[in-house]
Amino acid sequence: MKFGEKTREVRAAAAALLSYVVCSVLVLQHLWADPQGRMFADNAQDQIFFEWVLTHAARLFTHGDNPFFTDQLNAPDGVNLMANTSVLGLALPFAPITLLFGAGVTLVLMDTIALAGTAIAWYFILSRHVVRSRAAAYIGGLFCGFAPSMISQSTAHPNIAGQFLIPFIVWNILRLREPGSAVRRGLVLGAVVLYQCFINEEVLFLTAVALLIFLLAYLHPREYLPSVRAALPAILIGAAAAGVLLAYPLYHQFFGPQAYRGLPDFVHGFSTDLASFKEFSRRSIMAPDDLSVIDKMGGPTEENTFFGWPLLGLLLAGTVALWRQRAARALFITALVFSLLSLGTVIKYKGEETGWHGPWNWVHELPLFDSVVPTRMGVAIAPLLGVILAMVVDRFIVGLPATSAQPVAAGSDAGDAADGALGGDAGGVGGGSGGDGGGTLVADESALPETSEGAVGVKTDVRPQAEETTPVARWLWAAALAIALVPLIPTPQPASPRAPIPAFFSTNAWRAEIPENSTVVAIPLGWFEGLDAMRWSTAAGLDFKIAGGYFLVPNPDDPEKVAIFNAPTRPTMQLMNSAATDGTVPVITPDQKAMAKLDLAFWKADYLVLPDQHGNSEAVRQTADQLFGPGKHVVDVWVYKVTS
């Protein structure tokens, strides 16, 4: 490549990357305006959880806490952080930011990087290996990073939206059957898989399932065995390298304290509504005025399949036009399978169950599948469609001149000069040299010459001639693309002011009353009180333990150890919640006092705290006085010291 061409390529890439970052900041602008004073309006509970685990990750450097388990939450039993979304792969590198600026800033930064980074990563892979046009790669990356599912998951799900390693995992897998150093490729693959495990294992699992379906659809059956034989050495090396480092974390996740088996039954009911595919999401410029239309099809954090009917039409037309390309065909088949799986065990249409069983009914009890929320299968659809869009733009709108076929012998090392985390310029699934310095997926299955091992190691680039698409047709395709994508332009994520934390905690007044590392119980200790206690804990740098909270732990009443959210309800919690709900002060019996002592012993509680701002706080205070003795009013809370 000449210097001038290289300069233009670098400038184009820089412009694309900058635009992705700007788009991400615009989507999150309301949070960026005041990261410590605002929260996601649609998902405060997950933001509270992630800010807590970000603070915990920062404590690893200041207090030497265990990265995989904590007893600062859900005292006294603790929480298995590997079995929850502790997102250590992002939390640890950003620990200095958390320590300097607070977890609120870190979370918004992570979300921004999740969207922009995913778009950048897909642009890089698409421009080098899949399409020749940078414009096509840009559109594909834009969709992969800012599709409705990504915008929905960016609502305090940085672990799901942060898919910037996925393109590199996919490409490293696809190119394993090329000739080259198995050790080097295996170690690279193992490294990116290892890192992804500490961002989100669910996304990694979805990627593995998608790759399996794609390869089964892409390869001829006669290619299965040779391809496995060629890829197996690198896979084994990568698995061994990653396995050594993941052995203890995964053992801790599945067999350590507070490990669980599968998700609660009600979670398995979160599935994709069949009608959602043709609708526009609430965070798009074409969102319906009446959100009740789509509310019954899914909440704001799981609108993974709201692509809109214009995009569905464009993708269907594009897939038909590209049907001779094995890659396009396999991408469409994979997206279709994931769409069907996301429908759950019973298919719903416009919020109503149809009585028809979905394919998920066949797999939801299998290992690993039993820990996946069905609607999350829809998350994997967006990148598949993004690649198809890039191919459509490349072939029918930009239409660069085609190059001739360039078969390379299986034993050659061509294209390996740039081998490494990103791979060489040759395609790993039949790639070749493209006009933009990158390989492309095989366009025509008939163009795959065989070696003695089958089609393994063949790198070709056979494209239909651009002249087949007339200028009028290109304009029609471009218009269809605009009609499909413009309605999906995302609107900024809404944010709301944070509820104030009691000054007792925000001003550190608590340190004069509560010794560090004591166990604090927020009363009346229900779901929302547990979330509030996590906010107090985060504000205090996790310097005291709290009972309850928001997490997944095994149900102690279930021999199968199926997970539950939050800690099991204790009798004293129920009693005090009743007072908080109706404002009536009960007359406490001796038996209830005795049970309260047992519950305090169970929590190993040192102090109980009731904020003045709590609803019906006077009724709760009077109930607490009967159970625990008179409390002490400090700043804006009532503090009850537990005595033996």
Side-chain angles (χ1 to χ4, degrees):
M1 180 182 294
K2 296 180 180 179
F3 179 75
E5 294 176 350
K6 186 67 174 178
T7 301
R8 285 193 296 272
E9 181 179 344
V10 170
R11 288 177 178 173
L17 271 52
L18 179 60
S19 72
Y20 291 149
V21 173
V22 170
C23 289
S24 188
V25 171
L26 289 175
V27 167
L28 298 165
Q29 59 181 283
H30 296 316
L31 275 299
W32 273 117
D34 187 6
Q36 298 289 55
R38 296 183 180 181
M39 302 190 74
F40 283 101
D42 292 329
N43 192 13
Q45 64 185 28
D46 281 326
Q47 181 165 355
I48 291 170
F49 172 82
F50 278 109
E51 289 182 0
W52 195 96
V53 296
L54 288 172
T55 306
H56 176 265
R59 278 176 61 94
L60 303 186
F61 298 95
T62 58
H63 291 71
D65 286 5
N66 186 337
F68 308 130
F69 183 84
T70 182
D71 62 358
Q72 301 297 113
L73 184 63
N74 189 37
D77 294 331
V79 175
N80 188 326
L81 293 175
M82 273 302 296
N84 284 263
T85 50
S86 55
V87 71
L88 289 170
L90 297 175
L92 291 177
F94 290 130
I97 295 175
T98 303
L99 291 170
L100 289 172
F101 303 107
V105 174
T106 305
L107 181 65
V108 181
L109 178 61
M110 281 169 45
D111 253 337
T112 303
I113 292 174
L115 295 176
T118 301
I120 290 168
W122 277 110
Y123 172 83
F124 193 92
I125 292 299
L126 290 171
S127 62
R128 284 176 60 89
H129 303 295
V130 181
V131 295
R132 300 176 197 157
S133 160
R134 286 189 290 270
Y138 179 80
I139 294 296
L142 189 67
F143 186 82
C144 290
F146 298 92
S149 59
M150 292 292 289
I151 300 301
S152 181
Q153 293 298 331
S154 72
T155 311
H157 288 165
N159 57 322
I160 303 293
Q163 300 176 26
F164 40 82
L165 289 182
I166 299 305
F168 302 118
I169 293 173
V170 168
W171 194 252
N172 273 282
I173 289 288
L174 294 181
R175 66 192 298 271
L176 287 180
R177 65 184 193 144
E178 293 179 22
S181 171
V183 173
R184 183 171 54 201
R185 290 181 176 175
L187 292 177
V188 169
L189 178 62
V192 289
V193 167
L194 173 68
Y195 203 146
Q196 179 60 39
C197 277
F198 289 106
I199 295 177
N200 186 260
E201 294 170 276
E202 186 176 17
V203 170
L204 181 62
F205 175 68
L206 297 180
T207 302
V209 175
L211 274 168
L212 176 62
I213 297 170
F214 173 84
L215 289 172
L216 289 174
Y218 179 85
L219 296 172
H220 287 298
R222 68 174 181 271
E223 296 177 275
Y224 290 167
L225 186 58
S227 296
V228 170
R229 189 184 301 124
L232 193 58
I235 291 177
L236 292 177
I237 291 169
V244 169
L245 297 175
L246 284 172
Y248 176 73
L250 292 181
Y251 174 83
H252 191 283
Q253 175 178 346
F254 294 106
F255 304 103
Q258 294 294 82
Y260 56 83
R261 303 284 184 273
L263 298 174
D265 288 339
F266 77 90
V267 175
H268 291 293
F270 295 155
S271 58
T272 294
D273 193 293
L274 186 60
S276 67
F277 291 91
K278 64 180 179 62
E279 300 291 342
F280 297 109
S281 75
R282 73 188 65 220
R283 298 295 164 240
S284 67
I285 62 172
M286 289 294 289
D289 294 331
D290 182 8
L291 291 181
S292 64
V293 174
I294 59 175
D295 274 337
K296 53 190 176 184
M297 301 182 197
T301 62
E302 296 294 347
E303 292 181 346
N304 301 316
T305 53
F306 286 66
F307 299 115
W309 61 265
L311 180 62
L312 296 182
L314 174 65
L315 289 167
L316 181 60
T319 301
V320 171
L322 292 170
W323 193 252
R324 288 185 65 244
Q325 293 193 29
R326 277 208 280 172
R329 192 163 64 241
L331 287 165
F332 179 80
I333 291 171
T334 307
L336 181 60
V337 171
F338 269 77
S339 298
L340 294 173
L341 288 173
S342 74
L343 297 176
T345 54
V346 179
I347 298 175
K348 300 174 185 176
Y349 184 75
K350 294 186 176 181
E352 301 294 332
E353 292 188 354
T354 63
W356 302 336
H357 288 292
W360 190 252
N361 197 49
W362 307 330
V363 301
H364 73 282
E365 293 183 350
L366 296 176
L368 299 183
F369 282 93
D370 64 356
S371 294
V372 176
V373 183
T375 187
R376 290 277 172 86
M377 300 299 286
V379 172
I381 301 173
L384 297 166
L385 301 186
V387 178
I388 295 176
L389 277 176
M391 296 173 73
V392 168
V393 173
D394 195 52
R395 169 68 182 85
F396 300 114
I397 298 177
V398 179
L400 290 175
T403 61
S404 58
Q406 300 176 24
V408 180
S412 120
D413 202 33
D416 261 4
D419 197 7
L422 307 180
D425 284 340
V429 191
S433 60
D436 240 1
T440 58
L441 293 175
V442 173
D444 187 344
E445 62 187 26
S446 64
L448 278 170
E450 294 188 20
T451 68
S452 58
E453 293 291 331
V456 178
V458 176
K459 303 181 180 73
T460 63
D461 181 13
V462 181
R463 300 284 300 274
Q465 293 296 322
E467 288 73 18
E468 294 177 7
T469 305
T470 65
V472 172
R474 291 187 195 180
W475 279 107
L476 290 175
W477 279 104
L481 180 71
I483 293 171
L485 295 186
V486 168
L488 301 182
I489 293 175
T491 56
Q493 289 280 15
S496 56
R498 293 174 184 256
I501 294 174
F504 179 72
F505 294 106
S506 63
T507 63
N508 276 334
W510 70 270
R511 294 186 183 277
E513 301 291 332
I514 300 175
E516 190 168 318
N517 214 37
S518 298
T519 297
V520 174
V521 178
I523 52 176
L525 192 58
W527 173 265
F528 294 105
E529 289 79 14
L531 288 169
D532 284 341
M534 291 182 71
R535 296 174 62 225
W536 307 345
S537 175
T538 299
L542 276 58
D543 284 343
F544 54 80
K545 302 175 182 178
I546 59 173
Y550 173 45
F551 40 74
L552 283 166
V553 291
N555 185 346
D557 298 325
D558 188 341
E560 299 296 324
K561 289 189 173 182
V562 172
I564 56 173
F565 288 97
N566 207 333
T569 301
R570 305 291 301 180
T572 305
M573 290 169 54
Q574 295 175 325
L575 176 64
M576 300 196 71
N577 273 312
S578 177
T581 300
D582 56 28
T584 301
V585 180
V587 177
I588 302 301
T589 66
D591 287 344
Q592 289 171 326
K593 287 186 177 181
M595 180 56 70
K597 287 185 177 181
L598 290 176
D599 288 344
L600 292 175
F602 171 82
W603 291 315
K604 296 183 179 179
D606 297 306
Y607 294 86
L608 299 98
V609 176
L610 169 64
D612 291 347
Q613 67 194 34
H614 193 286
N616 287 326
S617 61
E618 182 59 22
V620 177
R621 184 190 65 79
Q622 292 183 34
T623 305
D625 285 351
Q626 295 182 69
L627 288 169
F628 313 117
K632 177 182 179 182
H633 192 262
V634 184
V635 188
D636 54 356
V637 302
W638 287 91
V639 179
Y640 296 82
K641 183 177 180 179
V642 177
T643 57
S644 56

